[in-house]
Amino acid sequence: MAGEGGRRTEREPVAVVTGGASGIGHAVVADLAAHGYRVAVLDRDAPADGDADRVRWVVGDVRDPDANDRVVDAALSSFGRLDLFVGNAGVHDGGIGVRDVGGAELAEVTRYVLDVDVVGYLLGARAAAGALADSGGSMVFTLSDASYLVRGNGAGIAYTAAKHAALGMVRHLAADLAPSVRVNAVAPGGVVTGLRTADGRHVFADADEITATVRAFNPLGVVLCAEQVAPLYRFLASPAAAGMTGEVLRPDGGLTVR
């Protein structure tokens, strides 16, 4: 619409990001805020030095339906609209196989990983769907090379199952929510972040060893950082991707041709 002096003014776009306190989520929040977005973030931790003008922090667990509702409400009440939902919060299983642990531990780890990595995504999508339909917005989810591969990438059976399930969820949501909401995903491979296991251990604790392993594993021999991946989320939400839904971008060093 036209502003004073005939200049065109547009409302700044608004996003909700889950798991935005660290890793890829933190990089996505920073990238969106730097490119004109207002952002509401759901995470179990809120940084003391967050950008209070452009970013609102909601402390909560993605497994809680009320927490997902609260972060969408925060976006709407603080910024007046919602254009993008980024489902990103996740945990890893530490690479466990079906015979590596006892039945009780396997069940506990698997339930936890599925609850965070799949149910958390679904609850966020449910909370955001109405507001995104109103704005003609988008959802973008964080998948993984484990959404396509088994073994060789450090993922165990629970994480692999969760990321395969999340891929199916993206496609189902894309079909369900078309034409009013586009649903796409980014599936990074070998990005060294602060990802933790169900019991709180850092997956990439030995960064040098992990970096060497990742370089040897992918055809391009690259190790990407979160800041290199983050702009892909913004692209999928942009008019340049207006013809895309149910699609997955795979910044994984070329594992598709491995």
Side-chain angles (χ1 to χ4, degrees), residues 92-169:
H92 201 271
D93 63 6
I96 62 171
V98 72
R99 294 177 294 179
D100 292 340
V101 295
E105 182 177 350
L106 180 63
E108 181 180 2
V109 170
T110 301
R111 289 191 185 104
Y112 184 66
V113 172
L114 288 171
D115 277 351
V116 174
D117 295 7
V118 181
V119 177
Y121 280 5
L122 287 173
L123 293 175
R126 182 207 62 81
L132 292 175
D134 290 342
S135 67
S138 296
M139 297 182 183
V140 182
F141 293 91
T142 300
L143 299 183
S144 166
D145 55 14
S147 297
Y148 298 90
L149 307 177
V150 295
R151 303 184 64 82
N153 59 354
I157 192 167
Y159 188 74
T160 300
K163 289 304 181 180
H164 273 65
L167 174 59
M169 180 208 69

Side-chain angles (χ1 to χ4, degrees), residues 222-248:
V222 299
V223 180
L224 300 177
C225 65
E227 289 72 21
Q228 290 172 291
V229 172
L232 297 177
Y233 293 76
R234 181 166 42 86
F235 163 74
L236 287 172
S238 74
M244 298 174 64
T245 197
E247 297 294 339
V248 183

Side-chain angles (χ1 to χ4, degrees), residues 12-166:
E12 293 176 305
V14 178
V16 162
V17 179
T18 68
S22 62
I24 290 174
H26 185 267
V28 169
V29 172
D31 179 81
L32 291 173
H35 288 84
Y37 274 80
R38 306 272 183 175
V39 189
V41 185
L42 176 62
D43 203 293
R44 291 182 296 182
D45 301 301
D49 59 349
D51 184 344
D53 180 49
R54 305 204 68 84
V55 182
R56 298 287 186 273
W57 290 87
V58 174
V59 176
D61 193 312
V62 293
R63 297 172 295 171
D64 178 5
D66 290 339
N68 286 279
D69 289 338
R70 284 191 290 112
V71 73
V72 170
D73 289 344
L76 295 174
S77 62
S78 297
F79 307 128
R81 59 185 290 125
L82 181 62
D83 302 280
L84 170 63
F85 171 76
V86 176
N88 170 78
V91 294
H92 201 271
D93 63 6
I96 62 171
V98 72
R99 294 177 294 179
D100 292 340
V101 295
E105 182 177 350
L106 180 63
E108 181 180 2
V109 170
T110 301
R111 289 191 185 104
Y112 184 66
V113 172
L114 288 171
D115 277 351
V116 174
D117 295 7
V118 181
V119 177
Y121 280 5
L122 287 173
L123 293 175
R126 182 207 62 81
L132 292 175
D134 290 342
S135 67
S138 296
M139 297 182 183
V140 182
F141 293 91
T142 300
L143 299 183
S144 166
D145 55 14
S147 297
Y148 298 90
L149 307 177
V150 295
R151 303 184 64 82
N153 59 354
I157 192 167
Y159 188 74
T160 300
K163 289 304 181 180
H164 273 65

